[in-house]
Amino acid sequence: MMRFLCSEWLRTKRTAIRFLTFCMPVLFSLCAAAYLISHPGSTQVFAFEGFFTIWTVFFIPIGAGVFAGFLVHEEELAGSFNGFLGTGISRIKLYMGKFSLLLFCLTACTFTAVLTLCVCVKPVMPEVVSFRLFLPAAALMVMGTLPLLALHLWISFAWGMGASIGISMGGLLMAAILGLTGMGSRIWPLIPWTWPVKLGMLPGALISEESAAIRSTEIFSGIMHTAAVGFSTAAAGLLLFLAGGMMWFHLWEGRKNCE
């Protein structure tokens, strides 16, 4: 699989994929770091919640739609998928190659943003950011993003880049309304766009201001319940979207003009 991932990555040369993967998160984190440093009263809670709220609610939904749509659109431009589907390589390997590249891009993008923020802010305000807090949150967020990547890859092959980005806009709204507010307290396990929000915010529950007034046993119980629900739904969603997408792709003969 590494061979297919390397091959897919080489094909992104001279495209916007590499800029979006490595440059965009650096620019965002530099702006966030400059804001925190220019406000000496910033707290760890403010930095954590502000950074991960923006990243999980805006960048993750839009990023999943844009990355998946762009990767598939490149294949569509190169002969309307004829060269891609006619390589003689197993359909499963072709599909997993795209999914692996998609996962690499979103993972690299997320960790680049987190590391840039921590490296820039830590020397000036060591009490505001913590590698032990931010890195686990980034890892949990990536785990919650896996089903979204599988879903948007399927959508991109079936309906194109426009549909993938359009649906990601709706996902952004659902992540903000149902993932961050009490409105989604009962239905968030059914909404894939809320899973990165819920899982990524879990480490922050240990330092939130509300936690100070709650017993540690209750905090731990709440975190474990959210984690159990989040991991189980994310695993089920990944299995459903990835397996469903591969079975569909195995029979797919390319997108017709009318699609």
Side-chain angles (χ1 to χ4, degrees), residues 80 97 146 161:
S80 299
L146 292 176
M161 181 169 64

Side-chain angles (χ1 to χ4, degrees), residues 33-55:
Y35 179 87
L36 292 173
I37 294 173
S38 64
H39 292 74
S42 299
T43 63
Q44 189 177 59
V45 174
F46 175 79
F48 181 90
E49 293 184 349
F51 179 84
F52 282 99
T53 294
I54 295 174
W55 196 261

Side-chain angles (χ1 to χ4, degrees), residues 169-183:
M169 296 293 183
L172 183 153
L173 295 176
M174 287 186 282
I177 297 173
L178 303 178
L180 293 176
T181 69
M183 294 179 60

Side-chain angles (χ1 to χ4, degrees), residues 131-196:
F131 287 100
R132 291 188 297 176
L133 179 68
F134 279 64
L135 290 180
L140 290 171
M141 183 170 51
V142 169
M143 293 179 190
T145 307
L146 292 176
L148 276 185
L149 301 182
L151 175 61
H152 278 282
L153 183 61
W154 191 353
I155 291 171
S156 298
F157 273 118
W159 297 314
M161 181 169 64
S164 179
I165 297 176
I167 292 174
S168 71
M169 296 293 183
L172 183 153
L173 295 176
M174 287 186 282
I177 297 173
L178 303 178
L180 293 176
T181 69
M183 294 179 60
S185 58
R186 294 186 177 181
I187 64 172
W188 73 264
L190 303 176
I191 311 298
W193 289 271
T194 65
W195 301 340

Side-chain angles (χ1 to χ4, degrees), residues 14-15 87 99 119 142-143 145 149 218 225-226 229 240 259:
R14 298 189 182 89
T15 68
T87 58
F99 180 77
V119 168
V142 169
M143 293 179 190
T145 307
L149 301 182
E218 295 180 2
H225 174 73
T226 302
V229 175
L240 174 64
E259 295 178 347

Side-chain angles (χ1 to χ4, degrees), residues 95-96 99 147 150-151 153-154 237-247:
Y95 197 85
M96 286 304 298
F99 180 77
L151 175 61
L153 183 61
W154 191 353
L238 176 62
L239 180 63
L240 174 64
F241 298 140
L242 190 57
M246 286 192 293
M247 289 188 292

Side-chain angles (χ1 to χ4, degrees), residues 37-252:
I37 294 173
S38 64
H39 292 74
S42 299
T43 63
Q44 189 177 59
V45 174
F46 175 79
F48 181 90
E49 293 184 349
F51 179 84
F52 282 99
T53 294
I54 295 174
W55 196 261
T56 57
V57 171
F58 292 96
F59 283 93
I60 288 297
I62 299 299
V66 169
F67 274 118
F70 197 88
L71 290 177
V72 174
H73 187 63
E74 288 295 305
E75 299 296 346
E76 184 178 10
L77 292 178
S80 299
F81 300 106
N82 291 327
F84 179 63
L85 298 176
T87 58
I89 301 173
S90 166
R91 291 291 185 93
I92 294 178
K93 291 182 178 180
L94 288 175
Y95 197 85
M96 286 304 298
K98 290 296 182 185
F99 180 77
S100 299
L101 179 59
L102 193 54
L103 174 58
F104 170 78
C105 290
L106 262 293
T107 302
C109 187
T110 297
F111 278 95
T112 298
V114 171
L115 290 172
T116 301
L117 179 72
C118 292
V119 168
C120 291
V121 178
K122 188 75 172 175
V124 183
M125 306 172 72
E127 73 285 352
V128 173
V129 298
S130 170
F131 287 100
R132 291 188 297 176
L133 179 68
F134 279 64
L135 290 180
L140 290 171
M141 183 170 51
V142 169
M143 293 179 190
T145 307
L146 292 176
L148 276 185
L149 301 182
L151 175 61
H152 278 282
L153 183 61
W154 191 353
I155 291 171
S156 298
F157 273 118
W159 297 314
M161 181 169 64
S164 179
I165 297 176
I167 292 174
S168 71
M169 296 293 183
L172 183 153
L173 295 176
M174 287 186 282
I177 297 173
L178 303 178
L180 293 176
T181 69
M183 294 179 60
S185 58
R186 294 186 177 181
I187 64 172
W188 73 264
L190 303 176
I191 311 298
W193 289 271
T194 65
W195 301 340
V197 181
K198 292 296 185 180
L199 290 177
M201 290 294 187
L202 282 179
L206 298 173
I207 62 169
S208 66
E209 296 176 357
E210 291 80 359
S211 298
I214 305 175
R215 293 182 301 176
S216 59
T217 54
E218 295 180 2
I219 298 173
F220 183 75
S221 176
I223 291 176
M224 292 303 296
H225 174 73
T226 302
V229 175
F231 281 126
S232 59
T233 52
L238 176 62
L239 180 63
L240 174 64
F241 298 140
L242 190 57
M246 286 192 293
M247 289 188 292
W248 172 86
F249 186 74
H250 184 72
L251 302 174
W252 190 56

